mmCIF file of all heavy atoms in Angstrom:
data_model
loop_
_atom_site.group_PDB
_atom_site.id
_atom_site.type_symbol
_atom_site.label_atom_id
_atom_site.label_comp_id
_atom_site.label_asym_id
_atom_site.label_seq_id
_atom_site.Cartn_x
_atom_site.Cartn_y
_atom_site.Cartn_z
ATOM 1 N N SER A 453 127.129 82.048 177.774
ATOM 2 C CA SER A 453 126.163 82.621 176.834
ATOM 3 C C SER A 453 126.504 82.330 175.353
ATOM 4 O O SER A 453 125.614 82.254 174.535
ATOM 5 C CB SER A 453 126.080 84.117 176.983
ATOM 6 O OG SER A 453 127.327 84.738 176.661
ATOM 7 N N THR A 454 127.769 82.118 175.045
ATOM 8 C CA THR A 454 128.222 82.049 173.653
ATOM 9 C C THR A 454 128.926 80.710 173.419
ATOM 10 O O THR A 454 129.718 80.249 174.213
ATOM 11 C CB THR A 454 129.174 83.166 173.355
ATOM 12 O OG1 THR A 454 128.516 84.438 173.668
ATOM 13 C CG2 THR A 454 129.581 83.213 171.868
ATOM 14 N N VAL A 455 128.592 80.095 172.247
ATOM 15 C CA VAL A 455 129.268 78.889 171.795
ATOM 16 C C VAL A 455 130.165 79.237 170.637
ATOM 17 O O VAL A 455 129.777 79.970 169.748
ATOM 18 C CB VAL A 455 128.242 77.828 171.390
ATOM 19 C CG1 VAL A 455 128.895 76.633 170.776
ATOM 20 C CG2 VAL A 455 127.388 77.392 172.634
ATOM 21 N N LEU A 456 131.370 78.697 170.654
ATOM 22 C CA LEU A 456 132.306 78.838 169.546
ATOM 23 C C LEU A 456 132.308 77.510 168.820
ATOM 24 O O LEU A 456 132.406 76.473 169.423
ATOM 25 C CB LEU A 456 133.680 79.177 170.009
ATOM 26 C CG LEU A 456 134.764 79.276 168.927
ATOM 27 C CD1 LEU A 456 135.539 80.558 168.997
ATOM 28 C CD2 LEU A 456 135.654 78.079 168.916
ATOM 29 N N SER A 457 132.140 77.567 167.505
ATOM 30 C CA SER A 457 132.261 76.333 166.661
ATOM 31 C C SER A 457 133.427 76.452 165.723
ATOM 32 O O SER A 457 133.625 77.510 165.131
ATOM 33 C CB SER A 457 130.917 76.071 165.918
ATOM 34 O OG SER A 457 130.648 77.095 165.013
ATOM 35 N N ALA A 458 134.189 75.415 165.598
ATOM 36 C CA ALA A 458 135.301 75.321 164.668
ATOM 37 C C ALA A 458 134.888 74.358 163.604
ATOM 38 O O ALA A 458 134.467 73.207 163.890
ATOM 39 C CB ALA A 458 136.553 74.892 165.386
ATOM 40 N N GLY A 459 135.014 74.777 162.347
ATOM 41 C CA GLY A 459 134.600 73.927 161.234
ATOM 42 C C GLY A 459 135.730 73.477 160.355
ATOM 43 O O GLY A 459 136.798 74.088 160.356
ATOM 44 N N ALA A 460 135.485 72.404 159.618
ATOM 45 C CA ALA A 460 136.453 71.905 158.670
ATOM 46 C C ALA A 460 136.632 72.865 157.498
ATOM 47 O O ALA A 460 137.540 72.726 156.691
ATOM 48 C CB ALA A 460 136.059 70.540 158.146
ATOM 49 N N ASP A 461 135.767 73.859 157.391
ATOM 50 C CA ASP A 461 135.862 74.927 156.385
ATOM 51 C C ASP A 461 136.860 76.005 156.803
ATOM 52 O O ASP A 461 136.966 77.019 156.208
ATOM 53 C CB ASP A 461 134.493 75.522 156.090
ATOM 54 C CG ASP A 461 133.804 76.124 157.352
ATOM 55 O OD1 ASP A 461 134.400 76.127 158.450
ATOM 56 O OD2 ASP A 461 132.654 76.542 157.169
ATOM 57 N N GLU A 462 137.579 75.708 157.930
ATOM 58 C CA GLU A 462 138.619 76.588 158.483
ATOM 59 C C GLU A 462 138.082 77.922 158.981
ATOM 60 O O GLU A 462 138.700 78.954 158.929
ATOM 61 C CB GLU A 462 139.755 76.788 157.454
ATOM 62 C CG GLU A 462 140.440 75.511 157.091
ATOM 63 C CD GLU A 462 141.594 75.674 156.144
ATOM 64 O OE1 GLU A 462 141.938 76.807 155.766
ATOM 65 O OE2 GLU A 462 142.240 74.647 155.768
ATOM 66 N N THR A 463 136.851 77.866 159.489
ATOM 67 C CA THR A 463 136.236 79.089 160.107
ATOM 68 C C THR A 463 135.900 78.780 161.555
ATOM 69 O O THR A 463 135.627 77.641 161.989
ATOM 70 C CB THR A 463 134.943 79.516 159.404
ATOM 71 O OG1 THR A 463 133.961 78.529 159.536
ATOM 72 C CG2 THR A 463 135.201 79.838 157.929
ATOM 73 N N LEU A 464 135.949 79.854 162.369
ATOM 74 C CA LEU A 464 135.471 79.841 163.737
ATOM 75 C C LEU A 464 134.223 80.737 163.733
ATOM 76 O O LEU A 464 134.274 81.832 163.185
ATOM 77 C CB LEU A 464 136.521 80.436 164.709
ATOM 78 C CG LEU A 464 137.833 79.694 164.814
ATOM 79 C CD1 LEU A 464 138.813 80.452 165.695
ATOM 80 C CD2 LEU A 464 137.639 78.260 165.292
ATOM 81 N N ARG A 465 133.197 80.250 164.380
ATOM 82 C CA ARG A 465 131.942 81.040 164.417
ATOM 83 C C ARG A 465 131.483 81.143 165.856
ATOM 84 O O ARG A 465 131.596 80.212 166.642
ATOM 85 C CB ARG A 465 130.873 80.421 163.571
ATOM 86 C CG ARG A 465 131.213 80.399 162.085
ATOM 87 C CD ARG A 465 130.163 79.824 161.216
ATOM 88 N NE ARG A 465 130.580 79.759 159.840
ATOM 89 C CZ ARG A 465 130.415 80.720 158.957
ATOM 90 N NH1 ARG A 465 129.783 81.815 159.251
ATOM 91 N NH2 ARG A 465 130.848 80.548 157.700
ATOM 92 N N LEU A 466 131.047 82.357 166.244
ATOM 93 C CA LEU A 466 130.517 82.638 167.571
ATOM 94 C C LEU A 466 129.013 82.706 167.449
ATOM 95 O O LEU A 466 128.441 83.406 166.623
ATOM 96 C CB LEU A 466 131.075 83.908 168.141
ATOM 97 C CG LEU A 466 132.635 83.857 168.358
ATOM 98 C CD1 LEU A 466 133.120 85.278 168.660
ATOM 99 C CD2 LEU A 466 132.961 82.920 169.495
ATOM 100 N N TRP A 467 128.335 81.996 168.404
ATOM 101 C CA TRP A 467 126.884 81.941 168.398
ATOM 102 C C TRP A 467 126.388 82.325 169.764
ATOM 103 O O TRP A 467 126.731 81.740 170.789
ATOM 104 C CB TRP A 467 126.404 80.521 168.094
ATOM 105 C CG TRP A 467 127.048 79.869 166.901
ATOM 106 C CD1 TRP A 467 128.199 79.146 166.829
ATOM 107 C CD2 TRP A 467 126.536 79.904 165.527
ATOM 108 N NE1 TRP A 467 128.426 78.720 165.588
ATOM 109 C CE2 TRP A 467 127.401 79.141 164.755
ATOM 110 C CE3 TRP A 467 125.386 80.441 164.948
ATOM 111 C CZ2 TRP A 467 127.253 78.956 163.371
ATOM 112 C CZ3 TRP A 467 125.202 80.250 163.541
ATOM 113 C CH2 TRP A 467 126.110 79.526 162.802
ATOM 114 N N LYS A 468 125.539 83.364 169.853
ATOM 115 C CA LYS A 468 124.907 83.778 171.139
ATOM 116 C C LYS A 468 123.737 82.851 171.356
ATOM 117 O O LYS A 468 122.632 83.151 170.991
ATOM 118 C CB LYS A 468 124.449 85.220 171.045
ATOM 119 C CG LYS A 468 125.596 86.212 171.132
ATOM 120 C CD LYS A 468 126.016 86.412 172.527
ATOM 121 C CE LYS A 468 126.913 87.571 172.670
ATOM 122 N NZ LYS A 468 127.508 87.670 173.961
ATOM 123 N N CYS A 469 123.984 81.710 171.990
ATOM 124 C CA CYS A 469 122.966 80.681 172.101
ATOM 125 C C CYS A 469 122.218 80.700 173.432
ATOM 126 O O CYS A 469 121.033 80.426 173.482
ATOM 127 C CB CYS A 469 123.575 79.316 171.987
ATOM 128 S SG CYS A 469 124.403 79.006 170.432
ATOM 129 N N PHE A 470 122.909 81.002 174.502
ATOM 130 C CA PHE A 470 122.355 80.797 175.840
ATOM 131 C C PHE A 470 122.353 82.069 176.682
ATOM 132 O O PHE A 470 122.600 82.023 177.881
ATOM 133 C CB PHE A 470 123.151 79.664 176.538
ATOM 134 C CG PHE A 470 123.167 78.380 175.799
ATOM 135 C CD1 PHE A 470 124.375 77.801 175.405
ATOM 136 C CD2 PHE A 470 122.008 77.715 175.414
ATOM 137 C CE1 PHE A 470 124.407 76.602 174.704
ATOM 138 C CE2 PHE A 470 122.030 76.539 174.745
ATOM 139 C CZ PHE A 470 123.222 75.989 174.369
ATOM 140 N N VAL A 471 122.039 83.205 176.046
ATOM 141 C CA VAL A 471 122.039 84.452 176.783
ATOM 142 C C VAL A 471 120.825 84.441 177.711
ATOM 143 O O VAL A 471 119.709 84.052 177.328
ATOM 144 C CB VAL A 471 121.906 85.654 175.758
ATOM 145 C CG1 VAL A 471 121.772 86.966 176.531
ATOM 146 C CG2 VAL A 471 123.077 85.659 174.850
ATOM 147 N N LEU A 472 121.035 84.836 178.933
ATOM 148 C CA LEU A 472 120.001 84.827 179.970
ATOM 149 C C LEU A 472 118.921 85.859 179.560
ATOM 150 O O LEU A 472 119.262 86.993 179.233
ATOM 151 C CB LEU A 472 120.578 85.164 181.336
ATOM 152 C CG LEU A 472 119.620 84.989 182.512
ATOM 153 C CD1 LEU A 472 119.098 83.573 182.625
ATOM 154 C CD2 LEU A 472 120.330 85.389 183.800
ATOM 155 N N ASP A 473 117.643 85.480 179.583
ATOM 156 C CA ASP A 473 116.540 86.344 179.288
ATOM 157 C C ASP A 473 116.537 87.507 180.311
ATOM 158 O O ASP A 473 116.549 87.267 181.481
ATOM 159 C CB ASP A 473 115.259 85.476 179.365
ATOM 160 C CG ASP A 473 113.998 86.331 179.160
ATOM 161 O OD1 ASP A 473 114.091 87.480 178.765
ATOM 162 O OD2 ASP A 473 112.903 85.746 179.316
ATOM 163 N N PRO A 474 116.520 88.771 179.827
ATOM 164 C CA PRO A 474 116.609 89.928 180.738
ATOM 165 C C PRO A 474 115.439 89.930 181.769
ATOM 166 O O PRO A 474 115.662 90.253 182.878
ATOM 167 C CB PRO A 474 116.512 91.138 179.799
ATOM 168 C CG PRO A 474 116.889 90.633 178.468
ATOM 169 C CD PRO A 474 116.573 89.191 178.424
ATOM 170 N N ALA A 475 114.266 89.504 181.363
ATOM 171 C CA ALA A 475 113.097 89.470 182.310
ATOM 172 C C ALA A 475 113.369 88.444 183.404
ATOM 173 O O ALA A 475 113.079 88.698 184.610
ATOM 174 C CB ALA A 475 111.835 89.102 181.540
ATOM 175 N N LYS A 476 113.949 87.305 183.063
ATOM 176 C CA LYS A 476 114.273 86.291 184.016
ATOM 177 C C LYS A 476 115.392 86.767 184.958
ATOM 178 O O LYS A 476 115.280 86.557 186.155
ATOM 179 C CB LYS A 476 114.731 84.992 183.286
ATOM 180 C CG LYS A 476 114.885 83.826 184.188
ATOM 181 C CD LYS A 476 115.395 82.651 183.388
ATOM 182 C CE LYS A 476 114.468 81.456 183.511
ATOM 183 N NZ LYS A 476 114.971 80.268 182.858
#
């Protein structure tokens, strides 16, 4: 469900990209 991105700005970011649709 979640993607972690590591940037050259020295940050880690978590993105809820692929959460399963509750209706589905």
Side-chain angles (χ1 to χ4, degrees):
S453 67
T454 305
V455 172
L456 178 129
S457 61
D461 57 4
E462 299 182 1
T463 65
L464 299 175
R465 295 182 184 269
L466 296 169
W467 311 88
K468 287 280 192 188
C469 299
F470 304 121
V471 177
L472 188 59
D473 178 8
K476 189 182 235 185

